[in-house]
Amino acid sequence: MIIAVDGPTASGKGTIAKALAAHFGLPHLDTGLLYRAVGRQVFLNSGNPDDAADALAACTFDAALLDDPELRTEVSGGYASRVSIHPAVRAALFTRQQVFANQPGGAVLDGRDIATVIAPQADAKLFITATVSARAMRRWAEMKGLGVDVDRTEIEADLEARDTRDRNRAEAPLRQADGAELLDTSRLTKEMAVATAIALVEKQVTAKP
Ligand code: C5P
């Protein structure tokens, strides 16, 4: 069974995807981490994330980079969002994601274009959303937990900038795929969101001919 989970930053899609993987006993790929690694590698190369050649050169990043805690920072998220607009970068990361999705037994992948580009044949598709203020609040609490003091309005502005870039890019823009179930997590606890996601997956799988 392939489960595709898409949605904007801090919508809860990562938490939901991880919980679905545990619940259904499937391997999980956080595809955002691949784009973050490319962004980080551009930074380490002193390159320009808006330059297609610099961004493509960074796609050969070492696998060990995926464990770098720096990938989780807002700076890496911003770089990831900028490198991800280049079609050559998306093409370079495509096969890796597709192979993961099509492994025997299936998988859970989360990202922006899983149900639209990477695995349109997925058995279950979820599009996770939440209001910008709910997402900024979560991101702020997460950063605070890590001991990083950041301004909430700054986080909100950053999220909006990334949303705009992700939704309006020409290649694989963020959008709800045909047949994807919408799940708004703004007013849900983590437990409620996960339980709803499991129910939506079961509904879609049962409804399949
Ligand atoms: O999900 P996460 O916030 O880690 O993703 C970082 C950035 O990587 C996103 O803002 C988006 O621009 C890009 N991305 C993408 N396609 C994916 C996953 C992430 O373009 N499948």
Side-chain angles (χ1 to χ4, degrees):
M1 169 167 67
I2 302 175
I3 304 177
V5 183
D6 291 303
T9 306
S11 56
K13 68 180 184 326
T15 303
I16 288 173
K18 242 180 261 152
L20 287 173
H23 181 82
F24 292 105
L26 294 168
H28 166 234
L29 180 65
D30 168 3
T31 64
L33 215 50
L34 303 176
Y35 290 92
R36 284 171 182 264
V38 175
R40 178 81 184 140
Q41 189 63 55
V42 170
F43 175 82
L44 295 172
N45 294 348
S46 307
N48 174 4
D50 303 321
D51 181 85
D54 281 4
L56 181 61
C59 289
T60 52
F61 63 82
D62 193 279
L65 188 62
L66 292 170
D67 298 320
D68 185 345
E70 271 299 317
L71 295 193
R72 306 279 173 192
T73 65
E74 288 304 294
V75 175
S76 292
Y79 263 68
S81 169
R82 287 161 69 186
V83 296
S84 71
I85 70 160
H86 303 300
V89 168
R90 305 202 73 83
L93 299 179
F94 179 79
T95 307
R96 182 179 188 152
Q97 298 173 76
Q98 219 189 26
V99 166
F100 192 92
N102 291 306
Q103 65 187 289
V108 181
L109 290 89
D110 75 85
R112 302 289 185 294
D113 63 341
I114 307 304
T116 50
V117 176
I118 304 295
Q121 79 285 18
D123 302 283
K125 302 173 186 175
L126 300 181
F127 192 81
I128 316 296
T129 59
T131 60
V132 175
S133 60
R135 289 157 51 208
M137 182 66 196
R138 278 180 204 152
R139 188 44 60 89
W140 176 78
E142 198 183 305
M143 300 304 247
K144 214 167 169 243
L146 294 172
V148 185
D149 199 17
V150 270
D151 183 50
R152 269 220 342 251
T153 37
E154 223 173 87
I155 296 184
E156 217 168 291
D158 182 58
L159 287 181
E160 278 180 323
R162 279 171 60 185
D163 281 0
T164 304
R165 207 180 293 130
D166 289 350
R167 287 181 195 279
N168 295 312
R169 65 183 177 217
E171 185 92 359
L174 171 67
R175 68 171 180 86
Q176 185 178 348
D178 292 341
E181 291 277 356
L182 184 67
L183 172 52
D184 187 331
T185 64
S186 307
R187 292 170 178 277
L188 302 182
T189 61
K190 178 185 156 187
E191 290 71 24
M192 286 156 78
V194 167
T196 310
I198 291 172
L200 288 173
V201 168
E202 280 168 349
K203 184 178 103 177
Q204 289 181 75
V205 172
T206 318
K208 271 201 115 180

